Amino acid sequence: MHKVIAFYDDRVLAHEPNIDADFLPQRIDKRIRHLLAGLPVPWKYPEHPGRLKAIQHLLEKAPIAGLHIEGGKAATHEQLARVHTTSYLSDIFSLRGKNAWLDVDTTAVSPGSVDAAEVAAGTAIAAVEAVIDKRAKSAFALVRPPGHHAEPVRARGFCLFNNVAVAAAHARSALGCERVLIVDWDAHHGNGTQDIFWAEPDVMFFDIHRAAPFYPGSGHLEEVGAGLAEGTTINVPLPAGAGDEAYLKAFRDILAPAAAWFKPDIILVSAGFDPHWHDLALNVSYEGFGALTGFMQQLAEQHCDGRLVFVLEGGYNLESLANGTRAVLAVLAGNAVPEPDTCGIAEVQAAADFHRTAFQSE
């Protein structure tokens, strides 16, 4: 058994919206052009192929011993239809080979986007299958476009298909997992994942994120699910300055007892790297991502024989995206779990050591 397999498929690079292209439908195009015209600087589509290329380049430059790479696969219509309506899928499939704006969140498709989105969802499934089949202790699906904003009937926030939800539904429908825990640590609330499993008692959704009105504006504390699933949606909204300490406290004090009560058969992580301060949303460090990964490993060992799968979500600063991803993969591959420090403490200590002799009496 490998300690960790990273799944990657070049076909996900085919999603490449170009805002200079002619988009359909015209009504949305006009509205978005008006929005973009009001910006003080030129706007480029932030969810681009360079995100995964940056991760690739760093892993080539600084390889991780024990990390294995495998290819992905495309999701089938049946697999996608477990979480998206057939009418929505028909609408998306009709855009294959086209340029189109899908919403005023500026979600767009290019000619290769639908193929890329199918592969992103299918690759998340491949990662789950590898862990269930015991080919790997853990797995990481390096995919795009991201998925956690995609709702059953709507594309949002650069997301077309909800990759982690498709993988969770496959684990339950085809792989014998009765209860699935999804942990979303992206800086943005996973509104789509929450919506899909809102009334599903056998899927627990834990989401820690920057609080509204930060995009998408959902994820309030009181949003806890409905019916028999009341209590299986857990939101932890944070202020802009929150970082490692807040994330780890939420994991220890909220996630750990929730998981002990829920008893998952597998844990999936919607891993966005925009909580890093380079993305100007929150203040998680690379050591923090590593420590969170170590916590997730312990949780998986306690409750589901170590079965743990990560699925890439957001993160738009290429440096922090690549380094954050590598920090997670290093821990999954067996490297030591780092101990995050409060930002600046080490530097202050170094300065104190440097200046100490200046203040000593003769």
Side-chain angles (χ1 to χ4, degrees):
M1 179 187 291
H2 300 306
K3 285 189 175 178
V4 59
I5 301 174
F7 287 84
Y8 169 76
D9 192 304
D10 281 335
R11 288 177 289 178
V12 301
L13 302 180
H15 172 58
E16 195 168 9
N18 177 3
I19 65 167
D20 295 325
D22 293 328
F23 282 87
L24 296 172
Q26 291 183 346
R27 182 178 180 184
I28 296 180
D29 188 73
K30 289 179 180 178
R31 291 169 66 190
I32 291 177
R33 299 294 178 196
H34 178 74
L35 289 172
L36 297 182
L39 296 177
V41 294
W43 188 84
K44 293 184 179 180
Y45 203 78
E47 205 295 290
H48 54 80
R51 297 178 64 236
L52 285 190
K53 291 179 181 178
I55 296 172
Q56 284 181 297
H57 291 162
L58 181 59
L59 293 178
E60 291 170 1
K61 180 181 177 182
I64 300 171
L67 171 63
H68 294 260
I69 309 293
E70 291 190 14
K73 63 180 181 178
T76 66
H77 185 281
E78 177 187 1
Q79 290 165 346
L80 296 171
R82 292 178 180 132
V83 303
H84 295 291
T85 65
T86 54
S87 61
Y88 173 72
L89 294 177
S90 295
D91 288 344
I92 293 295
F93 293 150
S94 72
L95 299 174
R96 199 185 303 270
K98 299 179 181 179
N99 291 306
W101 291 115
L102 301 183
D103 61 23
V104 291
D105 289 344
T106 61
T107 305
V109 294
S110 63
S113 294
V114 177
D115 292 341
E118 288 174 322
V119 172
T123 301
I125 286 176
V128 168
E129 289 177 338
V131 169
I132 294 296
D133 293 342
K134 297 184 178 180
R135 294 196 300 109
K137 195 71 173 177
S138 55
F140 199 138
L142 300 174
V143 297
R144 60 175 293 275
H148 70 152
H149 294 309
E151 300 170 359
V153 297
R154 182 182 178 191
R156 287 193 69 187
F158 310 141
C159 302
L160 302 181
F161 301 139
N162 196 307
N163 306 319
V164 76
V166 170
H170 184 74
R172 294 191 62 239
S173 298
L175 302 178
C177 295
E178 295 183 3
R179 292 174 301 282
V180 178
L181 169 60
I182 301 174
V183 176
D184 189 327
W185 76 36
D186 192 280
H188 303 85
H189 178 245
N191 59 288
T193 312
Q194 175 173 292
D195 192 14
I196 289 167
F197 298 117
W198 181 252
E200 177 50 70
D202 295 322
V203 177
M204 174 173 278
F205 179 57
F206 175 95
D207 195 305
I208 183 167
H209 54 276
R210 182 167 165 181
F214 194 67
Y215 183 86
S218 54
H220 299 280
L221 196 64
E222 298 80 12
E223 296 171 15
V224 295
L228 294 177
E230 183 175 349
T232 58
T233 293
I234 303 166
N235 282 296
V236 185
L238 299 176
D244 299 348
E245 189 174 351
Y247 264 70
L248 288 166
K249 181 175 177 58
F251 276 32
R252 288 192 300 265
D253 295 354
I254 306 171
L255 177 59
W261 171 81
F262 184 66
K263 298 179 176 61
D265 297 309
I266 189 172
I267 300 175
L268 310 184
V269 180
S270 272
F273 294 93
D274 41 13
H276 191 273
W277 52 70
H278 284 343
D279 258 304
L280 306 179
L282 290 162
N283 285 292
V284 176
S285 69
Y286 301 139
E287 294 80 10
F289 287 124
L292 294 173
T293 303
F295 191 97
M296 296 309 305
Q297 283 181 314
Q298 291 182 349
L299 214 59
E301 289 291 346
Q302 289 170 5
H303 302 297
C304 50
D305 195 29
R307 291 187 287 270
L308 179 62
V309 175
F310 286 70
V311 180
L312 183 63
E313 297 288 358
Y316 304 98
N317 179 281
L318 300 186
E319 179 182 350
S320 54
L321 170 63
N323 281 282
T325 301
R326 190 186 184 283
V328 170
L329 288 169
V331 172
L332 293 179
N335 291 342
V337 177
E339 283 287 340
D341 292 324
T342 302
C343 183
I345 292 297
E347 289 76 9
V348 170
Q349 183 59 55
D353 294 340
F354 176 82
H355 292 295
R356 184 168 289 113
T357 56
F359 310 120
Q360 291 178 350
S361 301
E362 293 292 339

